[in-house]
Amino acid sequence: MSNIIVNPKNYTGHELETIFFRPLLSGPSAESLGIRILYNMPMPTVVQMWDRTGNVLSSFDENPSWSGGVKTTHYQKTIPMTRVKAENAFSASDYFSTIFELITASPEVNMEDLSGTELERAETELFRRAIADSIRMNLWLGDTSGKYHTGYKSFDGLLKIINERVKADQLHYSISDLETELGDYSVATVMDNLIRNASPRLKGLFDEGQVAFFVSPSIYHLYEAHLDNNYGTATYNDNQYGRKQLMFRGFPLIEINLDPAIGDSNLSQDFIIFTDRRNLVMAVNTADSPGSEVRMWYNPDEMENRQRAVFAIGCEILDEELVCAGINAATV
């Protein structure tokens, strides 16, 4: 087996979806993001929302004919989509070593008969992991203006969107100085206030099991310390086996680890976002975006293995009324 991988791979059309992006945007990779993901909806990506208000019941005996009732209100939100590319380059020897390690780690591979299929699967998995991590970081730290100095400029992310809507007082309930709030109250009290101040519409979604806290690592650890300090005898098993999922009042805490990039930015390192998972949406499109592809090839001039993906992506908060947030609002 040569120490250079030279066979080019190019995914477009149906292969681009089934082999590369569909596995990336479903299963554990998608679940780790914790939000709603829309894949290959027609562009521009528009989410339709309906809000029924008023009473739909009336007495049949008094009014047996059609009375119309209260018309359902129709809302729609367009998710801004940006055409992006992802690129990776490796020296030929490093690329071969990395791919070979991925191959040998699989118990199903016959090392005496390595076919192109195993190589292709390992190359695809290597690039898919890199794209998944970059998507996660851009999803939260994206800032096309560059004013927050996050280092991620592909598309505007959720923290920038929330930060600017907190400053514009557009969310249902927000805390713009979380540091002071945590200095005055325990983290449990702050989260309890977010629950209590949720809009009636958000409270109406509690029983559906999709409402959660999205928190920074420091908030997550503060709550762990709160549990340890207040429920010492009950934490023995936690100390022995770890905590699989932190909960507060029945709502899961999803830890969003953006270190070290967020520490170098103007965005707050501490944040708590309380909302329905389905209200935070990321859309990815490879069908209607011109030139969408994944390509992997060997460049003999530079002796590099290169990888490139082209697709469209964007994110949005569908309904500000369904968001309660606590951050330290940036002053920029």
Side-chain angles (χ1 to χ4, degrees):
M1 185 175 181
S2 171
N3 286 348
I4 298 177
I5 300 174
V6 298
N7 294 334
K9 291 90 180 171
N10 187 29
Y11 302 137
T12 58
H14 184 65
E15 282 189 340
L16 181 62
E17 175 179 349
T18 58
I19 296 178
F20 199 88
F21 274 97
R22 183 66 68 180
L24 173 65
L25 298 172
S26 60
S29 295
E31 291 174 5
S32 66
L33 294 175
I35 68 170
R36 181 179 177 186
I37 297 177
L38 305 177
Y39 181 55
N40 273 355
M41 288 185 64
M43 291 178 63
T45 302
V46 179
V47 180
Q48 309 294 335
M49 297 176 289
W50 303 89
D51 184 23
R52 157 60 63 186
T53 57
N55 182 18
V56 299
L57 298 180
S58 63
S59 172
F60 181 83
D61 293 334
E62 293 179 3
N63 191 5
S65 62
W66 172 257
S67 58
V70 180
K71 186 177 180 180
T72 300
T73 305
H74 175 223
Y75 303 94
Q76 64 180 24
K77 197 76 172 258
T78 300
I79 301 176
M81 302 289 287
T82 304
R83 193 163 175 245
V84 300
K85 65 176 181 177
E87 294 179 327
N88 250 350
F90 302 83
S91 70
S93 58
D94 291 341
Y95 190 70
F96 175 83
S97 299
T98 304
I99 296 299
F100 195 74
E101 181 181 354
L102 288 175
I103 292 174
T104 56
S106 174
E108 302 172 357
V109 173
N110 179 5
M111 297 304 296
E112 302 298 325
D113 182 24
L114 287 178
S115 68
T117 303
E118 281 79 16
L119 288 173
E120 183 175 353
R121 186 182 298 116
E123 286 187 273
T124 301
E125 179 60 24
L126 178 66
F127 196 25
R128 191 186 289 139
R129 291 178 185 177
I131 291 178
D133 187 62
S134 291
I135 285 178
R136 184 183 69 85
M137 296 297 285
N138 275 279
L139 170 67
W140 291 98
L141 292 179
D143 171 27
T144 55
S145 68
K147 68 180 181 180
Y148 293 103
H149 304 292
T150 65
Y152 294 89
K153 299 181 180 181
S154 298
F155 60 96
D156 285 334
L158 295 173
L159 285 182
K160 176 188 177 180
I161 294 171
I162 289 175
N163 190 86
E164 297 194 339
R165 292 181 188 176
V166 165
K167 290 191 290 185
D169 198 25
Q170 293 176 337
L171 300 182
H172 173 74
Y173 176 79
S174 63
I175 302 166
S176 59
D177 188 355
L178 183 59
E179 184 177 358
T180 299
E181 192 81 2
L182 289 171
D184 295 337
Y185 307 101
S186 70
V187 66
T189 300
V190 173
M191 291 194 294
D192 185 60
N193 286 337
L194 292 176
I195 295 174
R196 292 178 183 274
N197 285 284
S199 67
R201 289 178 58 197
L202 181 56
K203 289 179 179 178
L205 298 174
F206 284 1
D207 289 342
E208 296 185 16
Q210 296 294 323
V211 179
F213 289 96
F214 296 83
V215 302
S216 58
S218 58
I219 299 297
Y220 195 88
H221 297 151
L222 271 177
Y223 184 53
E224 280 191 312
H226 169 80
L227 294 176
D228 291 339
N229 292 334
N230 289 278
Y231 308 100
T233 57
T235 60
Y236 175 79
N237 285 334
D238 291 342
N239 291 331
Q240 290 287 95
Y241 307 110
R243 296 184 173 106
K244 303 302 181 185
Q245 174 69 72
L246 289 189
M247 307 283 288
F248 179 74
R249 301 271 192 269
F251 301 105
L253 270 69
I254 301 172
E255 183 181 12
I256 309 297
N257 190 349
L258 303 172
D259 293 330
I262 194 171
D264 299 325
S265 74
N266 292 334
L267 292 172
S268 174
Q269 296 185 56
D270 297 329
F271 56 87
I272 308 173
I273 302 165
F274 183 62
T275 188
D276 191 294
R277 298 171 187 259
R278 298 163 295 187
N279 192 39
L280 307 179
V281 177
M282 181 182 73
V284 177
N285 192 289
T286 60
D288 298 333
S289 177
S292 292
E293 67 168 358
V294 170
R295 184 185 298 272
M296 292 177 277
W297 74 99
Y298 175 69
N299 183 297
D301 296 332
E302 301 292 337
M303 296 186 68
E304 282 185 341
N305 284 90
R306 296 177 175 178
Q307 302 170 319
R308 175 189 291 140
V310 179
F311 56 99
I313 190 170
C315 68
E316 183 59 283
I317 298 172
L318 296 183
D319 191 342
E320 288 83 357
E321 189 178 343
L322 300 183
V323 180
C324 294
I327 63 171
N328 297 317
T331 57
V332 295

